[in-house]
Amino acid sequence: MGAEKFGMPTVGIIGGGQLGRMTALAAHRLGIAVVLLDPDPYCSAAQVVPRMIVAPFDDPEALEQLATSVDVVTYENEWLNPEQLGSLERQGYKVRPSAYTLARIQDKFFQRTDLQKAGLPVPVFAAVDSLADLEAWVVEQGFPVVIKMRVQGYDGRGVRIAHTRAQLVDAWAALSHQPLLAEAFVPFTKELAVMVARSELGEVGAYPVVETVQKNNVCHTVSVPADIDALIAEKCRDLACAAVECFDGVGIFGIELFLKEDGIVLINELAPRPHNSGHYSLDACLTDQFEQYLRAIFGLPLGATALHSPAAAMVNILGEESMHLDLKAILDFDVHLHWYGKPESRPGRKLGHMNAVGKDPKAALAKVLAAHQRLGFS
Ligand SMILES: Nc1ncnc2c1ncn2[C@@H]1O[C@H](COP(=O)(O)OP(=O)(O)OP(=O)(O)O)[C@@H](O)[C@H]1O
Ligand SMILES: [Mg+2]
């Protein structure tokens, strides 16, 4: 195998979706070899890696085979069993972010609890074990409330907002096959996010604050720099760095924030991996989030996080029943297309994204939205 022959550092990536693919592409640039683990031989990342183990994420033999072939094991999604990663660590393999970090972040209740203990601001929340529990909590808090799956929610699946008792009962019926978290609805004026890298050696690098817009609770657009006061931006970056420290995180983390009218910032959640709100960095920052991630987990110096253009924006391309990519049409626009090569389109599935830079965030956003519209999206 090439990696062993040339003595290249090697990363093992568990999960072959778009985040695994973009991490693998960054690894190639840095001369880091990649071994991928995913059950689907046709997954997005499979197309860009020469070495792949085709097996379920929880297959102990496959995990061990991966760990023995690489210098660092990492993962592109947080729905792994931390016990299994911990067992690899106990055998002396390096897993980043660590099994501990994953265990505390993957459960939104543990995550919130740790952030609160560290004195960081989060929405009012409670774990709820029964509808009676939930109703009692709502009597104290009042409507509206947000009900969330504690684990395995993503892209807004597993999040319901209830304004009435009937909606609360519906939400409970839809989600209660899983442990749930209830939280106060935050009347935010903006949703913001910050990517933070923290290296093996404790070096920390925070990216500019972005503004995200969700449609149906799914990230639709990102624009940067966020149109907020400089002091608030500084507070967001400080909070994001403190949140990563609180979990002793090594790697790259997406920190989602709510900004309220009174200037108060609350932490919504952390993702222990590259994040959709950081995709803009591929075409707008001196070091993109995927390269930074690899630098962090290999203990290499972190790169500069600043924008190299005044502003940038990103729009997601979500799947429909069938999807034909009109490359000629998109490439007529001043945008960078990142297509994930997923084996099939499904409604709502993230199939790609487009980035643009501009003189200000509005101008950059107008560019990506024009190209998005040309694809037939409204
Ligand atoms: N407490 C809250 N108050 C107001 N809105 C909320 C609250 N919690 C979640 N939301 C809305 O729902 C969206 C999705 O929620 P959350 O980020 O918790 O779920 P998720 O499925 O893990 O998200 P993703 O994977 O898209 O980041 C948020 O971006 C926000 O728009
Ligand atoms: Mg979220």
Side-chain angles (χ1 to χ4, degrees), residues 135-357:
E135 289 188 312
W137 188 80
V138 174
V139 168
E140 268 173 45
Q141 295 302 321
F143 283 110
V145 293
V146 183
I147 299 106
K148 290 183 181 179
M149 290 174 4
R150 282 172 58 168
V151 290
Q152 305 220 329
Y154 70 99
D155 289 349
R157 292 161 222 228
V159 175
R160 295 287 183 103
I161 298 172
H163 296 265
T164 62
R165 185 168 181 273
Q167 288 175 352
L168 192 70
V169 173
D170 277 358
W172 180 262
L175 301 178
S176 61
H177 55 285
Q178 290 255 353
L180 296 183
L181 178 73
E183 62 188 46
F185 178 84
V186 179
F188 55 80
T189 53
K190 285 181 193 296
E191 286 198 78
L192 305 171
V194 180
M195 296 305 305
V196 172
R198 185 163 173 270
S199 89
E200 196 56 16
L201 310 172
E203 190 186 353
V204 175
Y207 281 80
V209 183
V210 306
E211 177 167 355
T212 67
V213 173
Q214 338 300 319
K215 252 194 196 170
N216 304 320
N217 291 343
V218 184
C219 177
H220 173 48
T221 60
V222 169
S223 52
V224 56
D227 181 16
I228 52 173
D229 188 273
L231 281 178
I232 291 183
E234 198 183 313
K235 182 157 79 179
C236 290
R237 284 160 55 113
D238 287 350
L239 281 179
C241 293
V244 172
E245 302 258 352
C246 153
F247 296 100
D248 198 17
V250 171
I252 192 143
F253 297 80
I255 296 90
E256 300 175 12
L257 306 160
F258 295 132
L259 173 64
K260 299 206 301 178
E261 204 170 20
D262 51 10
I264 300 276
V265 179
L266 300 179
I267 299 176
N268 173 27
E269 62 168 346
L270 256 77
R273 52 168 168 77
H275 194 252
N276 202 162
S277 71
H279 289 355
Y280 76 91
S281 64
L282 282 166
D283 299 298
C285 293
L286 293 165
T287 313
D288 70 69
Q289 65 164 345
F290 300 99
E291 175 173 334
Q292 193 80 312
Y293 172 29
L294 292 160
R295 288 175 179 240
I297 62 177
F298 276 87
L300 298 165
L302 295 183
T305 54
L307 290 167
H308 56 55
S309 298
M314 184 237 45
V315 65
N316 273 328
I317 304 173
L318 298 188
E320 299 182 326
E321 281 308 335
S322 72
M323 178 90 197
H324 165 70
L325 179 67
D326 188 349
L327 257 189
K328 197 164 161 219
I330 299 180
L331 299 182
D332 219 16
F333 289 83
D334 182 16
V335 297
H336 300 274
L337 172 69
H338 298 263
W339 190 251
Y340 306 149
K342 294 201 176 166
E344 59 177 2
S345 175
R346 281 199 297 267
R349 190 176 204 197
K350 288 176 179 165
L351 298 182
H353 72 269
M354 291 182 279
N355 289 336
V357 294

Side-chain angles (χ1 to χ4, degrees), residues 23-103:
T23 304
L25 292 172
H28 293 326
R29 270 201 330 266
L30 293 178
I32 295 174
V34 180
V35 183
L36 177 69
L37 169 66
D38 193 281
D40 178 4
Y42 301 103
C43 66
S44 173
Q47 297 160 23
V48 304
V49 300
R51 291 177 75 189
M52 179 172 182
I53 300 168
V54 179
F57 300 135
D58 60 355
D59 177 333
E61 279 170 25
L63 285 170
E64 200 162 329
Q65 189 193 342
L66 179 75
T68 53
S69 334
V70 304
D71 300 297
V72 185
V73 173
T74 190
Y75 42 89
E76 63 136 30
N77 82 63
E78 53 271 43
W79 313 127
L80 305 176
N81 182 346
E83 294 293 322
Q84 286 190 307
L85 297 186
S87 147
L88 294 180
E89 286 174 344
R90 284 190 294 280
Q91 291 173 70
Y93 299 116
K94 193 159 162 184
V95 179
R96 297 290 181 273
S98 71
Y100 166 81
T101 302
L102 177 66

